[in-house]
Amino acid sequence: MLEPTTSVKTAMPESWGGEMRALLTIGVPMALAQLVQFSPYIADTLMIGRIGPAEIAAAAIGSVLYFLLWMIAIGPISAVTPLVSQALGRDSGERKDIRRTVRMSVWACFLMMPLIIGLLLLTEPIMILAGQDPQVAALAQSYVLVLAPGLPFTLAVMSFRNFLAAIERTIVPFFLVASSALVNIALNWVLIFGNLGAPELGLIGAGIASSIACIYSFFAFVAYIKWEHKARSFDLFSNLWKPDWERMREILTLGWPISITVTFEGMLFNAGVLIAGAVGVIEQAGFQIALNVASAAFMMPYGLSMAGAVRIGLARGAANNGAERRATSTTILASVIAIGIFAIPVALIPKIVASLYFDMDASDTKPVFDFVVIFLPLAAAFMFFDAVQVACNQLLRGLADVTWPMIITGISYWLIGFPIAYYTALHTGIGAKGIWYGLTAGLVAAFIGLGIRLWLQLRQPSPV
């Protein structure tokens, strides 16, 4: 395939309204896709909640290690956004450079599989060492091992989605993600409860369903990229088995600070799960459900901010300072509005939201339900700070500014948020509510620090 030889910078909207339309055009489908992609985790929690508190707790602590691996791996995937969008900003006809980036990011996903399996085999001893209930730890071990095969496939799908967002193809990917979620939920119904003649596998069934859905999603995206005319022009799967170690180094160099940044944030929330487990199994189950609600709400601003990273990356590649500022303001505004749609109802009607997760006639429901009702308004309070910090973080990522955000989040979450959560939950009479105070403190510090860093970056002229 002949590559274009004339470099043409990508044109950017010259008004705030034009930039908002451009953001929402790719951002709304991305945000909805994030929410739909998260829906199987909501379904897992809803369905597992009907088995019992021990199973909810096992899923919670199993997910701690599983998502630690996801966070370690996410850097090379997230590096696709700035590399692809800035390349297109510099030259809208670029193909070869983008093909190299996407191919090596997919390689990175599958090369990590031995690490994934090795660490997940240690789930039970790690959780027992962390003070978790031995029975719950044993259940968690089995759960994560059946989740593991799907992880590299879901990471590769994220790489494809970042590429497709950069070329403004987000509508069909949304439907592909939705179809994957439906496959997952349907298989949950069959395998968790033994419907349609299948064995009743409980928690293990939820893990198997998730892995199958991830593999299905991967091949659905491959088929779409090979079919859609603009995506097909990049010929992503040409020389698929040919290594490109120079580009792999670039991806890993940009990606490792992103991985650490995401790990700093994600492990703070996972540490909250473990702290709640040290308080009690009932508190841990309640914390996990409230965190599930907050995580679902987070998907909308997260998806919009991913679109913002694409927009600001295009602006940086095109050396357009004004477009960078417009992309920043519209992304933050859209993210705050999106989180408000979820946070306000959660704060005002926590009992109704909590009841969605329970069989209210079950005898062991009420203690967990009561904690969820207490936790949800606290979760709603920090959602707004979470929305702004993720918008700032993604915008900085679109500018390929990754080292300072890593430092800022490390300080915010682990020198401010974690000590407050740990001390107030385990060494005061506040109990598990203290975890939410610590999470909020960490997010407030992060949004202030990242906001300042972003402001400083926007004051610098775009490199030509």
Side-chain angles (χ1 to χ4, degrees):
M1 178 182 292
L2 294 176
E3 305 292 344
T5 56
T6 303
S7 177
V8 179
K9 291 181 179 180
T10 295
M12 303 296 294
E14 297 183 0
S15 67
W16 299 98
E19 180 57 40
M20 179 64 84
R21 284 191 296 272
L23 173 72
L24 296 180
T25 297
I26 63 171
V28 170
M30 289 183 75
L32 291 174
Q34 285 300 126
L35 184 60
V36 170
Q37 187 174 31
F38 187 75
S39 64
Y41 299 105
I42 302 174
D44 281 357
T45 306
L46 288 168
M47 294 179 181
I48 294 167
R50 284 158 171 76
I51 304 173
E55 284 77 8
I56 298 176
I61 66 170
S63 296
V64 169
L65 194 54
Y66 178 84
F67 282 108
L68 170 61
L69 292 172
W70 181 90
M71 289 180 285
I72 291 171
I74 199 64
I77 314 309
S78 299
V80 170
T81 296
L83 289 174
V84 171
S85 60
Q86 290 192 28
L88 285 173
R90 289 189 296 271
D91 180 2
S92 59
E94 177 60 62
R95 294 294 183 269
K96 182 178 178 180
D97 187 75
I98 291 166
R99 182 164 59 246
R100 294 171 63 204
T101 295
V102 178
R103 183 171 79 243
M104 284 298 97
S105 72
V106 173
W107 269 54
C109 296
F110 288 94
L111 287 175
M112 287 183 282
M113 192 62 186
L115 173 65
I116 290 168
I117 296 294
L119 284 178
L120 291 181
L121 284 169
L122 300 175
T123 299
E124 184 175 359
I126 289 172
M127 292 306 163
I128 290 175
L129 196 64
Q132 304 303 299
D133 182 275
Q135 180 186 0
V136 172
L139 281 171
Q141 174 78 81
S142 301
Y143 175 60
V144 296
L145 286 179
V146 292
L147 276 176
L151 183 55
F153 290 94
T154 198
L155 290 168
V157 166
M158 292 184 67
S159 180
F160 292 149
R161 286 180 57 202
N162 288 342
F163 156 71
L164 290 167
I167 64 171
E168 299 184 347
R169 294 296 183 269
T170 55
I171 301 295
V172 173
F174 161 69
F175 287 107
L176 294 179
V177 170
S179 70
S180 175
L182 291 174
V183 168
N184 197 337
I185 292 169
L187 289 173
N188 272 347
W189 180 75
V190 171
L191 297 176
I192 292 176
F193 304 113
N195 289 307
L196 301 181
E200 186 177 339
L201 299 177
L203 187 62
I204 302 304
I208 294 172
S210 295
S211 283
I212 293 173
C214 291
I215 295 169
Y216 156 80
S217 182
F218 172 83
F219 286 106
F221 270 85
V222 169
Y224 172 68
I225 289 169
K226 290 174 73 69
W227 167 80
E228 203 279 329
H229 73 281
K230 186 171 184 180
R232 188 171 65 240
S233 73
F234 289 83
D235 200 16
L236 289 188
F237 305 109
S238 173
N239 299 319
L240 180 61
W241 307 109
K242 179 182 177 182
D244 185 343
W245 301 121
E246 180 185 355
R247 181 50 50 94
M248 179 69 85
R249 280 193 296 273
E250 292 176 25
I251 288 173
L252 295 178
T253 298
L254 183 59
W256 75 262
I258 297 174
S259 290
I260 293 177
T261 299
V262 174
T263 301
F264 278 148
E265 179 179 4
M267 288 310 295
L268 175 65
F269 289 91
N270 287 336
V273 174
L274 299 180
I275 295 170
V279 177
V281 172
I282 300 299
E283 289 85 347
Q284 187 177 52
F287 180 85
Q288 172 64 12
I289 290 173
L291 186 59
N292 187 260
V293 174
S295 299
F298 176 75
M299 292 300 110
M300 290 296 286
Y302 181 50
L304 288 167
S305 64
M306 288 171 66
V310 171
R311 297 299 306 165
I312 202 170
L314 290 169
R316 174 57 59 96
N320 189 330
N321 244 148
E324 290 178 14
R325 290 191 290 271
R326 288 189 289 273
T328 296
S329 299
T330 53
T331 300
I332 292 173
L333 176 61
S335 297
V336 170
I337 292 172
I339 201 67
I341 295 171
F342 287 85
I344 293 171
V346 167
L348 295 179
I349 51 171
K351 289 186 177 180
I352 295 175
V353 175
S355 67
L356 299 175
Y357 285 81
F358 294 95
D359 176 1
M360 298 304 294
D361 295 326
S363 59
D364 57 357
T365 288
K366 192 173 188 310
V368 181
F369 174 82
D370 288 343
F371 273 109
V372 177
V373 171
I374 292 169
F375 292 156
L376 284 178
L378 299 174
F382 79 65
M383 288 182 189
F384 288 98
F385 300 110
D386 205 7
V388 177
Q389 71 82 24
V390 75
C392 293
N393 215 331
Q394 289 284 348
L395 289 163
L396 287 165
R397 200 168 295 169
L399 296 172
D401 181 27
V402 294
T403 302
W404 270 103
M406 175 185 68
I407 295 169
I408 291 166
T409 53
I411 293 170
S412 300
Y413 299 140
W414 289 95
L415 296 185
I416 298 174
F418 176 75
I420 293 173
Y422 181 85
Y423 180 78
T424 55
L426 298 179
H427 298 285
T428 73
I430 295 174
K433 288 195 299 183
I435 303 170
W436 298 98
Y437 300 152
L439 296 179
T440 302
L443 290 170
V444 170
F447 114 80
I448 293 172
L450 293 169
I452 292 171
R453 177 63 183 176
L454 181 58
W455 177 72
L456 291 173
Q457 281 288 81
L458 294 175
R459 294 185 65 195
Q460 304 298 319
S462 297
V464 179

